[in-house]
Amino acid sequence: MQRAAALVRRGCCPRTLGPWGRSQSSAAAEASAVLKVRPERSRRERILTLESMNPQVKAVEYAVRGPIVLKAGEIELELQRGIKKPFTEVIRANIGDAQAMGQQPITFLRQVMALCTYPNLLDSPSFPEDAKKRARRILQACGGNSLGSYSASQGVNCIREDVAAYITRRDGGVPADPDNIYLTTGASDGISTILKILVSGGGKSRTGVMIPIPQYPLYSAVISELDAIQVNYYLDEDNCWALNVNELRRAVQQAKEHCNPKVLCIINPGNPTGQVQSRKCIEDVIHFAWEEKLFLLADEVYQDNVYSPDCKFHSFKKVLYEMGPEYSSNVELASFHSTSKGYMGECGYRGGYMEVINLHPEIKGQLVKLLSVRLCPPVSGQAAMDIVVNPPVPGEESFEQFSREKESVLGNLAKKAKLTEDMFSQVPGIHCNPLMGAMYAFPRIFIPAKAVEAAQARKMAPDMFYCMKLLEETGICVVPGSGFGQREGTYHFRFGLFGAVGSLLRSVGSPLRCTGFL
């Protein structure tokens, strides 16, 4: 019957005798009649729909790769098809992907990675001995002497040792224990993992997570995914995006009415705002966390990116230690770093680490269990992180070239930060605070009432409307401030310090002034 039905569908009905003396065409006709009588099955409904999917995932938003970036992709395809635009390429200033925007990799880092990836090169005279030494050490700590093997869930032991030694050097001798180091898939993985362990309770006892506004959208996304309570505290834009402890007090007191504030997230240097916190500010924040019994998360991935001569990076770990045992033995702190930012710009390796101190021993076991579910972070990313924390030192063959390249990248970013600040100040309708550090500007745009009305008529946030117009008229892709959070009635966008900053900035205001937007 099935074969006959198939023949009917194909229209192949040869008049040959079947095994019971009937022609095949007769059998096919019979099958066709049966198929007509049989009720046609309706298409089964999809199991997974927008209505049935996990509502927490549906609530997640990530502006850095949101609608504006999708539109940029569409425009790129149109340019490839030869559709004429006022520009010849899309400039993606929406994301901190340094190498995608032309930053050159650090030679030493890539040499060690090449040696680890293809160990036969260890016999090549083309590679310096200090690079070979590091590659051999990493490979000897890997299963089968191969980067392709799994590692321990917490990370390769010798790399964790190197991270601890780096932290001790960075913090002027403050000790770091390798057992408190967890290698991660970028800093984002560490942040989301710690938050998974911290979030609990229901109703008014549900965990509240305090985040700065403006914030990096990873935080709000993870909070939504975990169904935690987002507790906003606002940075002071009129005071160079400073963090005010009185604002922390306001936020935590209001939050206690509907949740259990348990976590305080700090981004230093700031993303997207570029501020660098003073030591006094960090002391105040630590005291506040101690006072309110808050678990501190210190996102320090931009610790190498400090440009203002009046600013210096202070790690929360160091300040906490120097405040004395009352704080250093009690305040729970997780600090994060990554290969993606700084002078390295190695975003694709997804290397990172977190140091977690004062964690309850039983919770430590739970954390390792959670990490073991994803087996281990990419071992190539772990190796890249090792090179960041264990670079060439004076007297080694690669030291001078490494130092030149590092200083060149950081010097170039510092120049672009100053140029960005100066040029934004010349554009009517835009104000930019001094850029102390990190890799972005977050200028305020003063949008006329008519433009706000036009945006609202299109059901768009006014700064999204601005950024969409900027993309369509100049090819520059930036992220609207509404994706990072901002005070009601203010509008911003985030702009990455990469590529030809001068020519980009000249485009930010002029086309929009021509259309009457500014």
Side-chain angles (χ1 to χ4, degrees):
M1 181 69 74
Q2 290 176 345
R3 183 172 179 273
L7 288 168
V8 169
R9 286 195 294 273
R10 295 205 307 264
C12 303
C13 299
R15 292 182 176 275
T16 56
L17 291 179
W20 296 280
R22 293 181 300 166
S23 70
Q24 293 283 9
S25 59
S26 299
E30 182 183 332
S32 181
V34 171
L35 289 173
K36 286 178 182 176
V37 173
R38 183 184 297 162
E40 200 171 306
R41 291 181 180 177
S42 59
R43 186 182 181 87
R44 191 187 77 173
E45 290 185 4
R46 302 286 186 189
I47 294 170
L48 186 59
T49 66
L50 283 175
E51 290 70 34
S52 66
M53 72 174 287
N54 185 330
Q56 272 64 61
V57 174
K58 189 160 61 173
V60 168
E61 293 184 3
Y62 188 65
V64 174
R65 298 195 177 201
I68 196 85
V69 181
L70 297 177
K71 181 65 176 179
E74 292 174 11
I75 292 174
E76 284 177 330
L77 291 175
E78 290 173 355
L79 288 170
Q80 290 171 14
R81 293 199 299 266
I83 298 174
K84 295 296 182 184
K85 302 283 182 184
F87 46 87
T88 57
E89 65 174 331
V90 171
I91 305 297
R92 290 181 175 267
N94 61 296
I95 194 167
D97 193 349
Q99 294 187 21
M101 296 297 288
Q103 180 176 306
Q104 293 302 300
I106 298 296
T107 302
F108 184 78
L109 190 148
R110 288 300 181 89
Q111 286 174 330
V112 179
M113 291 304 300
L115 292 163
C116 287
T117 305
Y118 188 59
N120 288 356
L121 293 173
L122 287 165
D123 297 326
S124 170
S126 300
F127 290 81
E129 284 303 317
D130 49 358
K132 292 179 180 180
K133 176 184 174 183
R134 284 163 176 77
R136 289 191 186 99
R137 182 168 185 266
I138 292 168
L139 290 172
Q140 286 167 6
C142 294
N145 293 328
S146 173
L147 219 58
S149 60
Y150 288 128
S151 76
S153 298
Q154 202 169 334
V156 175
N157 285 338
C158 76
I159 298 176
R160 289 165 48 219
E161 290 169 1
D162 288 345
V163 170
Y166 160 79
I167 292 171
T168 300
R169 291 194 309 273
R170 181 199 67 187
D171 292 345
V174 175
D177 184 349
D179 200 38
N180 292 335
I181 306 298
Y182 303 81
L183 300 179
T184 58
T185 308
S188 303
D189 172 48
I191 292 165
S192 60
T193 298
I194 286 292
L195 285 174
K196 281 179 186 176
I197 280 192
L198 281 161
V199 172
S200 64
K204 288 189 175 182
S205 66
R206 189 65 174 166
T207 297
V209 182
M210 300 180 68
I211 63 172
I213 298 296
Q215 52 112 13
Y216 177 52
L218 164 74
Y219 291 93
S220 55
V222 174
I223 289 167
S224 293
E225 183 182 354
L226 298 176
D227 197 25
I229 307 300
Q230 179 173 316
V231 178
N232 296 339
Y233 66 89
Y234 290 88
L235 302 177
D236 185 356
E237 183 172 11
D238 294 334
N239 191 22
C240 296
W241 298 110
L243 193 165
N244 190 314
V245 173
N246 288 331
E247 169 63 11
L248 293 179
R249 290 197 177 94
R250 177 208 62 78
V252 81
Q253 290 307 317
Q254 286 187 1
K256 286 177 180 178
E257 297 174 6
H258 60 272
C259 70
N260 174 25
K262 196 159 72 176
V263 188
L264 173 57
C265 302
I266 308 289
I267 309 174
N268 180 49
N271 174 13
T273 47
Q275 87 284 4
V276 178
Q277 292 179 10
S278 68
R279 181 190 172 87
K280 175 65 167 62
C281 176
I282 294 172
E283 287 180 357
D284 291 344
V285 169
I286 290 172
H287 177 74
F288 173 79
W290 174 82
E291 197 174 50
E292 293 290 339
K293 298 182 174 62
L294 298 171
F295 195 114
L296 267 175
L297 303 189
D299 184 340
E300 299 175 335
V301 301
Y302 296 98
Q303 59 189 258
D304 288 305
N305 301 104
V306 177
Y307 312 126
S308 171
D310 300 325
C311 295
K312 180 182 178 183
F313 171 76
H314 302 276
S315 78
F316 268 75
K317 162 77 177 300
K318 180 182 181 182
V319 176
L320 176 63
Y321 184 87
E322 292 176 346
M323 287 176 71
E326 186 176 13
Y327 296 94
S328 62
S329 299
N330 292 296
V331 175
E332 293 151 285
L333 169 69
S335 307
F336 307 91
H337 196 19
S338 164
T339 62
S340 301
K341 309 305 176 185
Y343 59 89
M344 305 79 68
E346 294 287 2
C347 303
Y349 277 119
R350 307 307 301 130
Y353 75 75
M354 60 180 175
E355 181 188 24
V356 189
I357 60 173
N358 293 326
L359 203 61
H360 191 288
E362 292 178 357
I363 295 299
K364 203 167 191 173
Q366 294 295 318
L367 175 57
V368 172
K369 179 186 74 174
L370 182 59
L371 292 171
S372 70
V373 172
R374 53 94 158 116
L375 298 179
C376 67
V379 181
S380 56
Q382 296 184 49
M385 192 74 248
D386 185 74
I387 306 159
V388 172
V389 299
N390 186 23
V393 297
E396 288 190 309
E397 183 178 351
S398 301
F399 176 73
E400 289 188 11
Q401 181 182 6
F402 169 81
S403 298
R404 281 197 310 271
E405 291 178 354
K406 176 181 176 180
E407 289 167 10
S408 174
V409 170
L410 294 176
N412 192 31
L413 285 170
K415 288 177 184 176
K416 288 180 178 179
K418 182 59 177 168
L419 177 62
T420 301
E421 180 186 326
D422 291 344
M423 293 199 70
F424 272 138
S425 67
Q426 298 172 24
V427 179
I430 294 180
H431 170 74
C432 185
N433 272 320
L435 304 182
M436 302 174 185
M439 291 183 169
Y440 314 97
F442 196 67
R444 182 174 178 179
I445 43 178
F446 296 87
I447 301 179
K450 288 182 69 174
V452 172
E453 291 170 7
Q456 291 170 343
R458 292 167 174 80
K459 296 183 178 179
M460 295 173 71
D463 50 6
M464 171 64 85
F465 184 45
Y466 173 96
C467 293
M468 198 64 79
K469 293 277 284 180
L470 181 67
L471 174 63
E472 292 169 347
E473 297 187 20
T474 70
I476 300 173
C477 179
V478 296
V479 190
S482 49
F484 298 89
Q486 54 198 353
R487 283 195 180 275
E488 187 76 24
T490 67
Y491 309 106
H492 305 79
F493 62 87
R494 192 185 77 166
F495 181 92
L497 303 179
F498 307 107
V501 167
S503 59
L504 291 180
L505 291 173
R506 281 189 286 274
S507 301
V508 168
S510 54
L512 301 178
R513 284 199 299 271
C514 292
T515 59
F517 196 97
L518 291 178

